[in-house]
Amino acid sequence: MTATGEQIAYSDAYARTAEARVAAVDAGDTTTVVLDRTVFYPGGGGQPSDRGLIIRAADGRLWTVRGAHKAGGEIVHELESDGSDPPRVGDLVQVDLEWARRFALMRTHTALHALCGVVWRDYGAQVTGGNMEPGSGRMDFEFERMSADLVGTIESTVNAELAAARDVRVAVLPRAEAFAIPDLIRTKINLLPEGIETIRTIEIVGLDLQADGGTHVSNTREVGGIQVTGYESKGRINKRIRISLTDG
Ligand SMILES: [Zn+2]
């Protein structure tokens, strides 16, 4: 196999399509395809992987990509099994995201960062985990004094922050530089494996800074608004907040 393919989603979350060459095909139980470049996000950090299509330039044949994952540093596309022959190594293809779903994930992911930022800034509570689907998600916090009243306040504060049209910036920092930033330490950056030399950060300017691999919108106004749809105790200290985007 050739060197690691170009992984466009990390630098340009808005790229929906790319032309690529098939670099590897593995026709197992699930047929998998590696391309020399892709717009797919492979999943991770609570954000599910993308779905979409691979279309062969020569004849317009298309394959549905039902998911993706990372293996050996490569983004691996998982094809829907339809009994047909897979593409061949060397084929020129177009790789397309299911964009409505991805954009909903970008908005949801950014909303969760705004929630983290507000809960940390206003209550000093650390996030311990999270998960999302397109349009909804949950975050867990070490947040002993969470209550119904506080959750209502948090919802309106997050909505005000989103409406403030804050820019969302992506950066890639050398490890030592990232470790010197106090805001990053709280997101348990120190748990990242030793071998990682650069750290990708997502900053909602003036509100939140996290080490993160996912895809986000470039300004909070694209999120719209959120609604807190539930909250629960996972113990004395650990609390969970569920949100959804107000327009789905
Ligand atoms: Zn994130």
Side-chain angles (χ1 to χ4, degrees), residues 45 47 109 112-113 132 202 210-214 216:
Q47 182 180 334
H109 200 150
L112 290 171
H113 282 230
M132 75 198 81
I202 304 296
Q210 295 188 35
D212 194 293
H216 307 76

Side-chain angles (χ1 to χ4, degrees), residues 196-207:
I196 295 177
E197 282 164 16
T198 58
I199 294 183
R200 182 172 181 269
T201 62
I202 304 296
E203 179 181 22
I204 300 179
V205 175
L207 181 64

Side-chain angles (χ1 to χ4, degrees), residues 147-216:
S147 66
D149 278 357
L150 279 188
V151 165
T153 305
I154 289 166
E155 178 184 280
S156 46
T157 307
V158 169
N159 281 325
E161 294 293 347
L162 294 171
R166 294 181 181 277
D167 281 334
V168 182
R169 292 182 189 151
V170 184
V172 177
L173 304 177
R175 185 186 179 92
E177 198 176 315
F179 271 67
I181 301 173
D183 271 0
L184 287 180
I185 302 300
R186 76 173 161 86
T187 58
K188 303 195 179 345
I189 191 179
N190 50 321
L191 299 181
L192 292 172
E194 282 288 323
I196 295 177
E197 282 164 16
T198 58
I199 294 183
R200 182 172 181 269
T201 62
I202 304 296
E203 179 181 22
I204 300 179
V205 175
L207 181 64
D208 185 66
L209 177 64
Q210 295 188 35
D212 194 293
T215 63
H216 307 76

Side-chain angles (χ1 to χ4, degrees), residues 16-49:
R16 312 174 185 202
T17 182
E19 294 206 331
R21 289 254 177 218
V22 176
V25 176
D26 185 355
D29 281 348
T30 299
T31 297
T32 59
V33 173
V34 175
L35 304 173
D36 68 349
R37 56 204 301 264
T38 187
V39 289
F40 267 64
Y41 178 66
Q47 182 180 334
S49 73

Side-chain angles (χ1 to χ4, degrees), residues 91-174:
D91 280 354
L92 181 65
V93 298
Q94 180 177 313
V95 55
D96 286 349
L97 293 183
E98 192 181 313
W99 176 250
R101 179 174 180 280
R102 155 64 92 76
F103 189 58
L105 285 166
M106 287 161 57
R107 294 171 58 221
T108 307
H109 200 150
T110 309
L112 290 171
H113 282 230
L115 174 65
C116 283
V118 164
V119 169
W120 171 252
R121 182 194 64 194
D122 296 355
Y123 307 98
Q126 286 199 344
V127 66
T128 58
N131 213 346
M132 75 198 81
E133 293 297 324
S136 66
R138 63 168 171 80
M139 298 239 82
D140 295 337
F141 297 95
E142 290 174 354
F143 196 1
E144 192 169 0
R145 62 198 181 96
M146 191 181 75
S147 66
D149 278 357
L150 279 188
V151 165
T153 305
I154 289 166
E155 178 184 280
S156 46
T157 307
V158 169
N159 281 325
E161 294 293 347
L162 294 171
R166 294 181 181 277
D167 281 334
V168 182
R169 292 182 189 151
V170 184
V172 177
L173 304 177

